[in-house]
Amino acid sequence: MSGDLAPCQYGICDGSGFTIDEATNTASDCRCRPSLLAAGRARSLEARIPRKYRDVAFDRFPITAIEPRVVDAVKRFTRDINPNLDAGKGLWLVGDPGTGKTTLAMLISKAAIEAKRTTAIYSMPRLMAVLRTAIESEEGLLGLLDRLATVDLLHIDDLGAEHRTDWVLEQIYSIVNTRYEDQRSIVITTNNMPDELEAQIGARTVSRLVEMCGDPLPLFGSDQRMSFTA
Ligand SMILES: Nc1ncnc2c1ncn2[C@@H]1O[C@H](COP(=O)(O)OP(=O)(O)OP(=O)(O)O)[C@@H](O)[C@H]1O
Ligand SMILES: [Mg+2]
Ligand SMILES: [Zn+2]
């Protein structure tokens, strides 16, 4: 961190957000500290929320155009983000392509990050690719599995879209089951209804997801990615 600090915007401190009183050798907050902290928070959001979804908000399009019943359920979840994550409760959004599932799920991740809860966001195909790469070093794999098991919120986008092999099914089961046993939250988006998902990833995994995430929130309708041409 230090060494490349941006200068204090008020020219008071050394850029650290603290001033040191030489006489008593004590630190106190500089006037720039609140904005320094806000910038840090923004950076950590930026690091994890994909650019396309970075500015999602309940009072903004496209959320304002999505089925209110589903948006309300997501809003309630984010309002109690801490107790929900503490209880290992999750959510899942099911439906047709381009109906706002990922957009809504990002609101949950954003709330978790803003509440300073550890959060990992992966699309399922990408997660499998990352796992495959991590396998090449045992340390890398253990680190990744540990992270997947222990983050306060694991957001898996596009479950069911991964190319299935026995290895992939085993990984998905093991990630879900570990979090199930430790009561840690999962947020999922998928194009598959639970019965289709069972065929895709197995009944044992889906059964755990149902218990953790409750009934899927349905988002059906036409693909809004296409709507600008209609
Ligand atoms: N109800 C809506 N009205 C207008 N635009 C919307 C609506 N829902 C989503 N969009 C827009 O459609 C695009 C796709 O949204 P999103 O990525 O959330 O879809 P998705 O449901 O996750 O799709 P997929 O299943 O293909 O992953 C985005 O650009 C989003 O802003
Ligand atoms: Mg999506
Ligand atoms: Zn300062």
Side-chain angles (χ1 to χ4, degrees):
M1 273 292 281
S2 64
D4 55 353
L5 291 172
C8 174
Q9 59 184 294
Y10 300 107
I12 301 171
C13 72
D14 62 358
S16 65
F18 295 105
T19 56
I20 309 288
D21 179 7
E22 307 276 342
T24 58
N25 199 26
T26 50
S28 46
D29 288 1
C30 177
R31 188 140 62 101
C32 73
R33 191 163 146 77
S35 60
L36 206 61
L37 290 176
R41 271 196 300 279
R43 262 197 309 280
S44 74
L45 268 184
E46 222 167 85
R48 278 167 289 172
I49 305 276
R51 182 189 291 269
K52 181 169 176 48
Y53 302 101
R54 215 162 279 164
D55 296 323
V56 288
F58 283 107
D59 57 1
R60 267 207 161 132
F61 185 84
I63 302 292
T64 46
I66 298 174
E67 168 70 39
R69 216 173 50 85
V70 174
V71 175
D72 282 347
V74 172
K75 197 185 271 179
R76 280 197 301 277
F77 190 90
T78 58
R79 202 176 283 149
D80 293 332
I81 189 78
N82 279 316
N84 279 328
L85 295 185
D86 292 340
K89 285 200 189 130
L91 266 190
W92 64 345
L93 295 142
V94 180
D96 294 328
T99 52
K101 298 180 301 297
T102 299
T103 311
L104 280 167
M106 289 298 167
L107 278 170
I108 301 170
S109 285
K110 204 172 167 179
I113 293 169
E114 279 167 352
K116 298 208 180 311
R117 307 295 298 250
T118 50
T119 304
I121 304 172
Y122 289 97
S123 80
M124 201 58 195
R126 185 174 136 70
L127 178 55
M128 290 303 119
V130 170
L131 269 172
R132 279 205 182 84
T133 310
I135 280 178
E136 285 156 22
S137 82
E138 196 175 328
E139 233 167 82
L141 182 63
L142 290 178
L144 177 60
L145 290 175
D146 184 59
R147 181 170 143 75
L148 293 172
T150 58
V151 284
D152 294 325
L153 178 65
L154 179 61
H155 169 169
I156 298 183
D157 214 60
D158 265 329
L159 183 65
E162 65 286 341
H163 177 65
R164 26 179 311 207
T165 65
D166 285 347
W167 182 82
V168 163
L169 293 184
E170 210 172 294
Q171 301 311 311
I172 299 175
Y173 173 75
S174 140
I175 292 165
V176 170
N177 187 52
T178 305
R179 296 189 65 86
Y180 173 79
E181 288 180 344
D182 293 341
Q183 296 191 291
R184 291 194 212 276
S185 299
I186 298 189
V187 163
I188 279 165
T189 76
T190 176
N191 292 132
N192 303 121
M193 292 299 283
D195 55 334
E196 296 167 324
L197 205 55
E198 278 181 13
Q200 175 71 13
I201 65 170
R204 292 193 310 152
T205 302
V206 173
S207 157
R208 283 160 179 76
L209 289 174
V210 170
E211 189 179 328
M212 297 162 88
C213 303
D215 289 332
L217 297 172
L219 279 174
F220 291 91
S222 56
D223 186 342
Q224 297 297 320
R225 290 192 188 95
M226 314 278 202
S227 68
F228 59 90
T229 58

